[in-house]
Amino acid sequence: MAVSGVSLSAAVFPIVRANCAVIGCHDAITKSHGQDLSTASSIYAAWIDKSGFNHCLPLQTPIRVTPGEPSSARSYVMLKIRNMGDLCPPSSSRMPLPPRAALTPAQVATIEAWIQQGAKNN
């Protein structure tokens, strides 16, 4: 069942903050790969139409989030949270990185729905 009316600030931000904006990762200080994911506005700034980084294929610069395209290679964030992003060992591919738990299916569906609905800064 599709999730409707997903808000960045109310639905996506709490997931990203708890799982990605942690000390040593994408917090406001570390900003791994230039991504501060500690606020809704910084998530939007880091993801929407921005080039990402593929560890195993460093000459590729995939787009982190292309609004309206969650299941294509044009939204690299979805590939990473689904553990399909790199041609690397799974332990270095999935976000959040192990030993942190993978996102739940409901969390993945929420982020996917937000992207499908245009990845609005709402």
Side-chain angles (χ1 to χ4, degrees), residues 56-108:
C56 293
L57 300 170
L59 298 179
Q60 289 186 359
T61 54
I63 301 299
R64 289 180 178 145
V65 170
T66 300
E69 297 188 44
S71 51
S72 73
R74 302 230 354 136
S75 286
Y76 193 60
V77 165
M78 291 305 302
L79 295 176
K80 293 297 284 185
I81 65 176
R82 288 185 174 132
N83 198 21
M84 300 168 18
D86 295 331
L87 300 175
C88 292
S91 63
S92 66
S93 183
R94 174 182 56 85
M95 288 292 153
L97 287 172
R100 296 188 64 78
L103 298 183
T104 67
Q107 290 170 322
V108 173

Side-chain angles (χ1 to χ4, degrees), residues 10-79:
V12 175
F13 169 62
I15 296 167
V16 173
R17 179 187 61 212
N19 293 282
C20 310
V22 297
I23 295 171
C25 291
H26 301 294
D27 62 290
I29 296 169
T30 308
K31 300 178 190 175
S32 182
H33 293 290
Q35 294 181 79
D36 171 5
L37 305 180
S38 63
T39 67
S41 61
S42 64
I43 292 167
Y44 190 84
W47 282 4
I48 305 304
D49 295 321
K50 297 292 194 261
S51 294
F53 182 77
N54 184 324
H55 288 275
C56 293
L57 300 170
L59 298 179
Q60 289 186 359
T61 54
I63 301 299
R64 289 180 178 145
V65 170
T66 300
E69 297 188 44
S71 51
S72 73
R74 302 230 354 136
S75 286
Y76 193 60
V77 165
M78 291 305 302
L79 295 176

